[in-house]
Amino acid sequence: MLYSEKVMDHFQNPRNVGKMEDADGIGEVGNAKCGDIMKMYIKVEDGIISDVKFNTFGCGSAIATSSMATEMIKGKSIDEALQLSNKAVVEALDGLPTNKIHCSVLAEEAVKAAVKDYYDKNNIAYDKELFKDDVHNMNEHK
Amino acid sequence: MQVYADNAATTRISDAAKQEMILCMDEFYGNPSSLHTIGQKAAEKLFEARKTIAQCLNADVKEIYFTSGGSEADNQAVLSAAETGKLKGKKHIISTAFEHHAILHTLKKLEREGFEITYLDVHENGLVTAEEVKAAMREDTALVTIMYANNEIGTIQPIREIGAVCREKGIPFHTDAVQAIGHVKVDVQADNIDFLSLSAHKFHGPKGVGVLYARKGMRLFNLIEGGAQERGRRAGTENIPAISGMAVALKDVCDHMEENEKKVSALRDILIEELSKIPHSVLNGDREQRLPGTVNFCFEGIEGESLLLLLDAKGIAASSGSACTSGSLDPSHVLLALGRPHEVAHGSLRLSIDHYNTEEEIRYITEKVPEIVDYLRNISPVWEELEKGERAHVI
């Protein structure tokens, strides 16, 4: 099989899929030209991510990594969410094929982009260093 | 329900071919080059297969060279014609932008060796014309190589007309007919073909065996050196079970070509009609000039691999134009050659059916594809933007 059972499960039964009308932060990364776009919505209450949703255009692993990433940050503090690494997402999915690792990078970036959007909208000061890699570079991701 | 709709990738072996292979393993195990009776029995079997295949193509037995498959035949034809051309100071080749990689990568190799290649535009309908081929011809053109039918979208080129302009100018003409043989009538003489490649596993024969047809007078250079098999042009003890299985499979499809073509194209037309009803979908390649069994669609707002995997979960084996599954993340070079934008080329689906399929299976496909496309569009941020008008529909 191309993918692990966990990837197939999260792809076929994605958790937290859909839009959120009253999101506190929205992050969108990737581009259609290269074949993956993730859009992540977060609801924040007292510094805790109380709800999270996503929409993804992309391959099986793009959908699975989005789903897994939302599960991993739901109910966690913003600081914990910002700690989420693509590696942790890959491990939680029991691995990804090498040429699909970039999907997990997108998932990490989507979470960060949503948090940054929340900070910006609420004028919360933050360490810019945290987000230096957050904007997915179109040229870099051919 | 299990539906196999990926016959352009490969086909299941026919019962007749399988039985023939077992018979060969049991009773024709000799080496055809051996002088003893057991060897000569195998040599006769080999000759019988060569004759059958030659008849199916309207060729002479001396024009049939057995190879390991379509890729080897493509390589040998192109490299031989290039070598012949080079000896006469001709280093220009005409081809198309959407050939199989067995051709494209061989041409890239020749480019590095100083050859100049003209890749003809295949337009939005996936077709070139004989006039365009003629216009690209030069004094130093060594070869024209254009596929008979495209593997991803199924369009059939005007091979006879292209062959005629090549004949007129005395330029060797090769066609990669891997997708066409066994599915549409191919006649190397009437079609003015000098070199042709075919592969057994595309018409219910075994894998790992194919043919290079080289018209009398066309010089072949060896890819594999060794013994004097295949008139000294391809060394290695002949794989009699595979070769004979291929001959049986080819005879079978050639004998039933008309009825198969009629049945399969009717099923294909159901697929085209039903899938065209999906909003913002488009059939890739000319509607009329196409193989009886190959259909390729792009669906806007979704990505091909996820569509394939969900179809697979429903028991439907199909393929994507997107090379996502084959390890590359770039969209199909064929769809890009038709002028489809990257984001649309990512959302493609190839269904390739043949006479083993039933109408019930086709109806099952036309029920499932729209459901899955709809589901994927609902979770796609791209589709949301398209629907809101924030992004312009391309198809």
Side-chain angles (χ1 to χ4, degrees), chain A residues 2-3 11-12 14 17 19 28 32-35 37 39 41 55-61 63 99-100 102 142, chain B residues 301-303 305-306 309-310 313 324 327-330 342-343 346 375-376 378-382 384-385 391:
Chain A
L2 178 63
Y3 293 130
F11 164 57
Q12 289 183 287
V17 69
K19 267 174 29 180
E28 184 172 323
K33 204 181 165 196
C34 66
I37 293 187
K39 197 168 183 179
Y41 306 83
N55 272 341
T56 290
F57 161 87
C59 59
S61 64
I63 293 171
N99 65 341
K100 299 291 185 180
H102 73 282
K142 194 191 136 220
Chain B
I302 66 165
E303 197 276 340
E305 191 209 83
S306 40
L309 291 173
L310 291 176
C324 224
S328 158
L329 302 170
D330 296 329
H342 275 70
E343 59 268 36
H346 275 295
Y375 165 74
L376 287 172
N378 273 326
I379 67 170
S380 161
V382 175
E384 189 192 347
E385 289 170 19
R391 182 190 282 270

Side-chain angles (χ1 to χ4, degrees), chain A residues 9-15 17-18 54-56 63, chain B residues 301-302 306-307 310 314 368-380 383:
Chain A
D9 177 36
H10 275 266
F11 164 57
Q12 289 183 287
N13 311 292
R15 282 48 149 193
V17 69
F54 80 91
N55 272 341
T56 290
I63 293 171
Chain B
I302 66 165
S306 40
L307 174 60
L310 291 176
K314 298 286 180 196
K368 293 300 166 197
V369 172
E371 281 174 21
I372 296 170
V373 167
D374 201 39
Y375 165 74
L376 287 172
R377 280 177 172 174
N378 273 326
I379 67 170
S380 161
W383 184 249

Side-chain angles (χ1 to χ4, degrees), chain B residues 161-381:
Chain B
E161 291 73 25
I162 294 171
V165 298
C166 292
R167 210 40 76 80
E168 191 189 308
K169 297 274 176 188
I171 298 169
F173 174 45
H174 167 254
T175 186
D176 171 349
V178 164
Q179 293 291 333
I181 295 290
H183 302 279
V184 291
K185 178 83 188 138
V186 176
D187 178 325
V188 290
Q189 294 191 43
D191 290 346
N192 306 306
I193 295 164
D194 296 316
F195 296 99
L196 174 146
S197 313
L198 69 86
S199 175
H201 74 103
K202 307 291 190 184
F203 50 80
H204 303 281
K207 289 157 182 66
V209 66
V211 165
L212 169 58
Y213 157 81
R215 195 168 64 84
K216 244 172 249 161
M218 291 293 140
R219 192 166 169 194
L220 286 182
F221 288 81
N222 293 19
L223 296 182
I224 299 171
E225 301 290 353
Q229 291 89 354
E230 299 307 299
R231 302 159 56 79
R233 290 293 159 252
R234 205 281 187 182
T237 301
E238 301 86 345
N239 184 351
I240 304 269
I243 289 169
S244 204
M246 163 166 67
V248 166
L250 184 60
K251 180 149 181 17
D252 190 31
V253 285
C254 288
D255 285 350
H256 300 96
M257 182 130 351
E258 260 179 54
E259 59 187 280
N260 286 347
E261 221 181 314
K262 207 173 145 202
K263 178 192 166 181
V264 178
S265 53
L267 294 177
R268 174 202 66 193
D269 291 345
I270 298 176
L271 279 179
I272 293 178
E273 193 190 331
E274 292 301 315
L275 298 183
S276 297
K277 290 179 187 164
I278 297 174
H280 302 288
S281 65
V282 67
L283 173 73
N284 291 310
D286 194 79
R287 173 67 186 81
E288 302 306 324
Q289 295 231 74
R290 57 172 50 251
L291 287 171
T294 303
V295 164
N296 186 310
F297 269 89
C298 278
F299 304 107
E300 214 177 356
I302 66 165
E303 197 276 340
E305 191 209 83
S306 40
L307 174 60
L308 282 192
L309 291 173
L310 291 176
L311 282 170
D312 187 45
K314 298 286 180 196
I316 300 168
S319 114
S320 165
S322 155
C324 224
T325 44
S326 63
S328 158
L329 302 170
D330 296 329
S332 146
H333 73 288
V334 173
L335 298 179
L336 296 180
L338 299 189
R340 300 276 179 242
H342 275 70
E343 59 268 36
V344 174
H346 275 295
S348 69
L349 172 69
R350 178 185 73 182
L351 295 159
S352 47
I353 56 169
D354 79 359
H355 55 281
Y356 281 59
N357 292 104
T358 63
E359 184 172 340
E360 194 193 357
E361 291 178 345
I362 302 307
R363 297 282 176 198
Y364 182 72
I365 295 175
T366 59
E367 179 194 321
K368 293 300 166 197
V369 172
E371 281 174 21
I372 296 170
V373 167
D374 201 39
Y375 165 74
L376 287 172
R377 280 177 172 174
N378 273 326
I379 67 170
S380 161

